[in-house]
Amino acid sequence: MRAFINRWQPALVCCILIIMAGCSDNNERQVNTHIKSARKFLSEKKVQAAIIEYRNAINLEPDNGVVLFELAEAYVLNKQISNAVRYYNLAAQADPDSILAYLRLAQIHMQTNALLEARNDIQKALKVSPDSIEAYQILSGIQLKERDIPAAIETLEKAASIDNKNVKTYTSLAILYLKTQKPDKAEEAYKSAIKCDSASRDAYMGLVRLYIAQKNWGKAEDLLKQVMETPGIKAEKYSDMAMFYQGMRKFDLAESYFQKAVDSEPDNVSPLMHLAEFYTRINQQDKAVITMENALTRAPKSPLVLSNQAQLFLHFNRVEEARKSVEKALKIDSEYTGALFQKGRILMAEKDFKGALDLFDQVISQDKINAKAYYYRALCIKQRGATDRPEQKIFRAAAGMLDDPEEFEKDQVKANLQAAITIDPKFLDARRELLEICLLEKDIPESKKQMNEILRLAPADLKTMSYLSALNFLEGNIDNAEKILLSIVKRQPEYFPAYIRLGKLYEIKKDYEQALLYYRKAFDISPTQTKGGVVRLIADVFVLRGQFGQAIETVDSLSLEAPGDQTAFFWNLKGKIFLAEGKQAESYSCFAKAADLNPEYAEPLMYMGELRMGNEQLPDALALFKKVEAIRPHFVPALFNIGLILDIKKDVQSAEVYYRKVLHEKSDHVDAANNLAFILSEKKGSSDEALRLATLAREKAPKNAAVMDTLGWVYYQKGNYLNALSEFEDSLKLEPDNALTCFHYGMALYRNREFERARKFLQKALEIKPDFKDADMARQMLN
C-alpha cells in the first residue's frame, strides 16, 4: 500500500498546486473587479459605495498596498480623516518603498497642526526617495506653520537645485521672497517658473500681480501680451488680459478681450460667464442679462450657469427672476452648493434671515472654506438680532457711536467674520463688518489692526473714512475725527452717515445746537427707511437737555415726513421719552399703541412688561413677556423675565425651564446662573450643578451680594459651612440689611455651633422683613 501512495504522490501534489493557483487567479480577478467598481463609483462621486468596494477587495487581499492607498484617498473624499490616516499607515506598511502614503500622511498632519508627526512622515518619505520634490515642498509648508520662513526658503531652494523644472517650487519661492521683502528675488523666481512652463497661469499671473503692486503697469501689460503668444488656453489668456484692463478702468479694451475669449472657444461656457460678470460690474444690465442667457443656451442643464444667472439677477435686484433660476438649478441638483448659496441670498433680500441662515449652514457643511457663506451667515445673525428695530440701518451707518453691541449675537457674528477673513484675507467687506463690531466694542487695538488691513487692500473710500473718524474718536483724537468728517461732507454732501457721526460728535462735546443742526441735515438727505433712526437721535438730544415736550413735538412733526410703516416705531419712541420724564401712564399708553399698530414689534411689549413688573402686576407682566417670546423665541431678556416671575410666584419647576433656556442662549448670563443655582441647591441630587453655576456667577460678578449669598447657600446645602460663612459675610458687607442673607448666615452659624450669633441674625432677618421667603423657618429656629 505504501508503494502505491508513493507512486501517486507527485501527481497529487501537482493537482493541489493547480487548484491553489486557480484559487489565487480567482481571488485576483475578484479583487480587480472590486477595484474597477470602486473607481467607477468614485468617477460618479459615489464615495461611500466606492469605500464598500475597496473594503471588499481588502477582505480578499489585506496586504494590497494599492487598494489600501486608494481606500485612504476615498476616506479623505468622504471627510473621514481618522480612517484615512489608518489606511495610509497600512498602505505604507504594505509597500514601504512607496512614498505616496507618507506624503499624504504628512499633508494631513500638517493641516491638523500635528507638525511633529508631519515631520516624521516627511523623514520617512525622504529616506525612501531623497530627491522627492513633493516631500521638500510639504516640508517647506511645515516650516511655514512653524513660522520659520528662512528655513522654508532654504528647503525650496534645495528643491530647485534638485529639479530646476518644477513650476510649483519657483512660484512658492516667489511668494516667500515677497513675504521677506525681496521683490527682486521674487521676480527672478516667477521668471524661472515661466521659463519652465510658459503656459503656467500661476507663474505669469503671480508676476503680473507683483508688477501691479509695484505700480509698474507697463511691465504687467507687456508680460500679458507676451503670454498670449505662448502655448496654453487662449480663452484664459484673453480673460486675464481683460481683467487687467478692467482693473485699469479701460473698459473698452477689457470688453474687447473678454469677447476674444468668447470667440476663441465657441463651445466653452466659461468665457461667456466672465463677459456677463464684466457687464454686471460696470452696471450694463441689458448686456449682462443677454450674455448670461447665451451662456445658458450653451449649457441649459448646468446648475453652475443657473446659479450665476441668479447672482446676476440679485445684483440688479430682480429677486423673482433670481428665484426661478435657483429653483431650476436645484431641480437639476438639489444639493448644488452654488444654488443653495444664492437661495440664501434671495431669502436675505426677502428679510427671511432665519431661512437664509439655515441655507448658509448647509453650504458650510458642504464647503468649509466658503468665505462668503461665513460672511453672509454673520450678516444673517446680525440682522436676525435686529428685526425689531426700524432704525437698524442708521445704527450701522454710524458704527461705533450709536449702537449697543449687546443687542446683537456679537460673538457668533465675530466668529463667522473671523472665519471669512481667515479663509480669504482680502475679503474687504468682511473686514469692514468686523471693524464695525470692534468699534462698537471700543476695542481699539483690533480696530486699528482691521483698519490698517482695509487701507492696505483698497484706497480709502467714504465708508472707510467714516470708520477712520470713529477710530480717531475712540482714541481721543476728537479734532482729527471732526476734520475727517467735515472733509467727507465737503467731498460728498449727500453722504448722510457722516452727518450722523458729526451730530454724535457734537452731542458728546455737549455742543447740542451743532448736534441738532447735523442731525437735521442727516434727516433731510437720509434714505426713507432710515429717517426714523435720525428722529430718535434728534429726540435724544432734547431728552439730554431735559426738554421732554420739545422731544415729543419733534417726533410728532418729523414723523409726518417718514414712511407710514414706521408709525409704530414713533409711538414706541414717544413712550421712551415719557418714560425718561417719569410719566409712566403716558409711556405705557404709547407703548400699547405701538404694539397695537405692529403686533410683531417686541420692544414696546418689553417696556410694557417691565412697567407692569415694576408695579408688581406680575400676571400682566408675564403675559406680555410671553408675547415677546412668541415673536422672538431666543430673546434673552424676555426669557429671563419670564423665569424670574415664575420664580417669584414659587413655580420653581417652570422657572428652572426658563433659566435653562437663557443659559442655552447665553451660557454666562450671571442672573440666570445665580437663580438657577439657588433653585438647584434646594433640589435633591443637583448640588454639583448648583455649585458649578453659582461659581460661574461668582466669577462673572465678583461684587454682587446676591451672587455671594447664592454660592454661600450652595456651600451650606453641601455641608461646607466654613465656605458658606465666608460668602455670607462678604455678601452682608455689601448689603447688611438683606433679610434672606441674614437668615442664611444665621443658619450657617447654627451649623457651626455659634448659637448665640445664629439667633441674633435670625432675629435680624425677621425684623428687616417679617414675611421673607424663609420667615417661618426662622421663627421655628428661634422658638
Side-chain angles (χ1 to χ4, degrees):
M1 189 66 164
R2 180 175 296 275
F4 176 82
I5 291 172
N6 287 341
R7 191 176 60 200
W8 285 96
Q9 197 168 30
L12 182 62
V13 169
C14 186
C15 286
I16 291 168
L17 289 173
I18 291 168
I19 291 167
M20 287 178 64
C23 289
S24 176
D25 288 344
N26 187 47
N27 242 24
E28 190 175 340
R29 279 196 300 273
Q30 286 185 55
V31 168
N32 289 335
T33 300
H34 287 307
I35 293 172
K36 187 177 179 181
S37 180
R39 289 170 180 170
K40 183 175 182 295
F41 280 132
L42 284 177
S43 70
E44 296 168 353
K45 298 184 179 178
K46 297 176 181 176
V47 181
Q48 190 57 46
I51 287 171
I52 292 168
E53 290 296 326
Y54 281 128
R55 290 183 70 90
N56 288 335
I58 286 170
N59 287 337
L60 295 168
E61 279 191 26
D63 297 326
N64 188 316
V66 172
V67 180
L68 290 165
F69 180 82
E70 291 189 19
L71 175 57
E73 299 274 87
Y75 275 127
V76 169
L77 290 173
N78 215 35
K79 298 178 182 176
Q80 293 174 262
I81 302 303
S82 58
N83 282 338
V85 169
R86 178 189 171 199
Y87 282 97
Y88 281 133
N89 276 314
L90 289 172
Q93 291 169 23
D95 188 1
D97 292 331
S98 171
I99 69 165
L100 280 176
Y102 296 129
L103 295 177
R104 292 291 191 274
L105 284 167
Q107 287 172 323
I108 290 172
H109 285 138
M110 180 176 69
Q111 287 164 4
T112 55
N113 288 320
L115 301 182
L116 185 59
E117 290 83 352
R119 276 186 168 276
N120 289 336
D121 297 327
I122 288 299
Q123 189 176 2
K124 290 173 184 175
L126 288 172
K127 189 175 180 181
V128 174
S129 179
D131 292 339
S132 169
I133 300 304
E134 190 175 354
Y136 284 115
Q137 289 169 345
I138 295 171
L139 178 57
S140 73
I142 296 167
Q143 290 163 331
L144 276 177
K145 287 254 185 179
E146 295 168 341
R147 300 192 185 99
D148 192 349
I149 294 178
I153 290 174
E154 187 179 337
T155 298
L156 289 173
E157 286 174 341
K158 183 174 182 179
S161 70
I162 295 169
D163 178 5
N164 62 1
K165 301 293 184 187
N166 190 291
V167 173
K168 185 179 176 182
T169 299
Y170 286 117
T171 54
S172 299
L173 261 174
I175 292 166
L176 294 186
Y177 286 141
L178 287 174
K179 278 182 180 288
T180 52
Q181 308 296 316
K182 297 174 183 174
D184 293 342
K185 282 199 163 190
E187 182 180 9
E188 184 184 333
Y190 277 130
K191 284 181 176 178
S192 296
I194 294 168
K195 187 178 178 182
C196 295
D197 181 4
S198 61
S200 169
R201 189 166 183 271
D202 286 343
Y204 70 74
M205 284 308 295
L207 187 51
V208 167
R209 284 190 290 272
L210 171 59
Y211 289 147
I212 290 172
Q214 294 173 334
K215 298 185 179 179
N216 200 331
W217 320 113
K219 270 190 171 184
E221 186 177 17
D222 289 344
L223 175 60
L224 286 167
K225 285 179 178 177
Q226 290 168 25
V227 164
M228 280 193 291
E229 303 304 319
T230 63
I233 302 169
K234 285 293 182 186
E236 201 173 69
K237 296 176 188 294
Y238 286 133
S239 293
D240 289 334
M241 193 79 200
M243 291 295 289
F244 170 76
Y245 283 129
Q246 180 182 294
M248 297 290 292
R249 304 188 68 79
K250 295 181 178 180
F251 296 132
D252 290 343
L253 282 170
E255 183 179 11
S256 70
Y257 275 99
F258 276 125
Q259 191 60 57
K260 284 181 180 181
V262 171
D263 296 339
S264 69
E265 292 194 24
D267 297 326
N268 188 348
V269 75
S270 294
L272 269 171
M273 289 202 297
H274 292 155
L275 180 57
E277 288 164 12
F278 165 72
Y279 287 135
T280 303
R281 288 192 196 99
I282 62 173
N283 282 315
Q284 291 193 15
Q285 183 175 166
D286 292 341
K287 283 186 174 182
V289 171
I290 290 168
T291 305
M292 191 60 80
E293 285 173 353
N294 290 338
L296 199 56
T297 302
R298 292 186 183 183
K301 298 289 185 182
S302 168
L304 170 63
V305 180
L306 286 162
S307 300
N308 280 28
Q309 186 182 47
Q311 181 178 333
L312 185 154
F313 283 135
L314 276 173
H315 179 85
F316 295 112
N317 203 29
R318 292 162 65 166
V319 178
E320 193 51 42
E321 289 165 285
R323 179 191 297 283
K324 289 176 183 176
S325 298
V326 161
E327 285 173 355
K328 288 178 184 176
L330 291 173
K331 195 172 181 180
I332 296 164
D333 183 350
S334 62
E335 295 188 1
Y336 186 70
T337 305
L340 293 170
F341 177 81
Q342 297 305 335
K343 187 174 180 181
R345 292 194 58 213
I346 290 166
L347 292 179
M348 285 184 74
E350 295 173 341
K351 312 295 183 191
D352 181 1
F353 299 110
K354 174 65 173 69
L357 192 59
D358 292 341
L359 282 165
F360 293 129
D361 285 342
Q362 193 174 343
V363 170
I364 290 167
S365 71
Q366 295 176 6
D367 179 8
K368 288 184 170 53
I369 56 169
N370 190 319
K372 287 187 176 179
Y374 285 103
Y375 169 69
Y376 283 113
R377 189 178 192 281
L379 296 189
C380 285
I381 296 169
K382 183 175 178 179
Q383 290 284 0
R384 192 178 64 173
T387 51
D388 283 336
R389 301 159 56 210
E391 73 272 41
Q392 60 183 281
K393 292 184 181 179
I394 197 72
F395 286 157
R396 291 200 303 280
M401 294 187 178
L402 303 181
D403 209 354
D404 174 7
E406 293 298 325
E407 295 261 353
F408 297 113
E409 295 163 280
K410 62 178 189 231
D411 290 340
Q412 289 187 59
V413 174
K414 283 175 68 177
N416 280 275
L417 292 173
Q418 286 284 8
I421 63 172
T422 300
I423 295 165
D424 180 4
K426 295 181 180 180
F427 198 160
L428 194 59
D429 287 342
R431 285 197 182 276
R432 281 176 169 159
E433 285 288 336
L434 186 57
L435 170 60
E436 182 177 313
I437 292 172
C438 294
L439 290 169
L440 288 169
E441 294 178 339
K442 298 184 171 70
D443 184 346
I444 292 174
E446 188 61 28
S447 295
K448 289 176 79 171
K449 176 184 171 183
Q450 295 305 325
M451 178 60 73
N452 289 337
E453 285 298 314
I454 289 166
L455 291 172
R456 188 179 65 80
L457 290 170
D461 58 9
L462 293 176
K463 191 171 185 179
T464 302
M465 288 176 68
S466 191
Y467 286 141
L468 187 59
S469 72
L471 179 55
N472 272 275
F473 190 91
L474 283 180
E475 292 182 294
N477 300 324
I478 309 297
D479 291 340
N480 280 353
E482 185 179 7
K483 285 176 186 175
I484 292 168
L485 290 169
L486 290 172
S487 71
I488 291 173
V489 298
K490 186 176 180 181
R491 275 178 54 188
Q492 185 68 17
E494 299 299 309
Y495 189 65
F496 85 95
Y499 293 100
I500 296 291
R501 282 238 176 89
L502 276 166
K504 195 64 182 179
L505 185 147
Y506 291 123
E507 184 184 320
I508 290 169
K509 289 174 74 173
K510 298 188 177 179
D511 187 345
Y512 295 124
E513 293 304 322
Q514 280 288 88
L516 287 170
L517 173 69
Y518 279 101
Y519 284 148
R520 183 61 208 232
K521 285 182 178 180
F523 180 85
D524 291 338
I525 64 172
S526 65
T528 304
Q529 70 271 23
T530 62
K531 287 188 182 293
V534 187
V535 175
R536 196 208 80 167
L537 296 173
I538 294 171
D540 283 349
V541 174
F542 287 119
V543 169
L544 280 171
R545 297 167 77 175
Q547 298 172 314
F548 300 105
Q550 187 67 43
I552 294 291
E553 287 177 22
T554 300
V555 173
D556 284 337
S557 62
L558 293 182
S559 65
L560 299 174
E561 301 179 47
D565 62 357
Q566 290 191 20
T567 306
F569 165 74
F570 289 118
W571 279 103
N572 185 63
L573 180 54
K574 286 165 68 173
K576 290 196 278 189
I577 295 167
F578 281 124
L579 191 61
E581 194 179 358
K583 294 182 176 180
Q584 289 193 8
E586 290 87 343
S587 69
Y588 191 91
S589 177
C590 290
F591 292 136
K593 182 70 174 175
D596 287 341
L597 287 167
N598 183 0
E600 297 297 309
Y601 194 3
E603 189 174 299
L605 292 169
M606 282 297 298
Y607 278 114
M608 292 164 70
E610 286 162 3
L611 283 167
R612 288 289 188 246
M613 197 172 177
N615 292 324
E616 298 188 6
Q617 295 170 286
L618 298 185
D620 288 350
L622 182 61
L624 288 160
F625 292 134
K626 286 274 192 178
K627 283 185 179 180
V628 176
E629 183 191 14
I631 298 165
R632 295 180 63 184
H634 305 284
F635 189 50
V636 167
L639 296 174
F640 176 75
N641 283 346
I642 292 170
L644 184 58
I645 292 171
L646 293 168
D647 201 350
I648 293 167
K649 293 174 71 176
K650 299 184 180 179
D651 183 357
V652 291
Q653 190 173 354
S654 299
E656 179 182 342
V657 170
Y658 275 90
Y659 289 145
R660 288 192 186 280
K661 283 184 179 182
V662 172
L663 292 168
H664 178 72
E665 300 295 330
K666 186 173 173 57
S667 61
D668 60 350
H669 193 288
V670 171
D671 292 329
N674 178 70
N675 294 4
L676 180 56
F678 195 91
I679 289 171
L680 294 175
S681 71
E682 300 185 331
K683 184 177 178 181
K684 190 175 180 180
S686 300
S687 60
D688 288 342
E689 186 182 6
L691 181 60
R692 179 181 65 79
L693 290 166
T695 304
L696 168 69
R698 185 76 158 92
E699 288 171 356
K700 293 291 180 182
K703 301 295 182 183
N704 187 310
V707 167
M708 296 169 185
D709 175 65
T710 297
L711 181 56
W713 193 240
V714 172
Y715 280 134
Y716 175 88
Q717 298 287 18
K718 288 179 75 69
N720 193 337
Y721 303 121
L722 290 177
N723 278 358
L725 286 168
S726 175
E727 293 297 330
F728 294 141
E729 285 163 4
D730 287 346
S731 180
L732 287 170
K733 285 175 187 175
L734 297 173
E735 290 185 10
D737 294 327
N738 186 296
L740 189 61
T741 308
C742 287
F743 169 74
H744 289 160
Y745 188 44
M747 293 298 291
L749 288 167
Y750 184 89
R751 290 288 190 181
N752 205 44
R753 305 183 67 79
E754 297 180 58
F755 303 119
E756 290 299 323
R757 292 186 68 207
R759 281 194 288 273
K760 176 183 172 184
F761 277 93
L762 292 172
Q763 185 64 49
K764 182 179 179 181
L766 289 168
E767 289 169 1
I768 294 167
K769 190 175 183 183
D771 61 346
F772 77 92
K773 177 179 175 287
D774 289 309
D776 290 344
M777 173 64 76
R779 289 188 183 94
Q780 288 177 25
M781 295 294 294
L782 287 169
N783 291 333

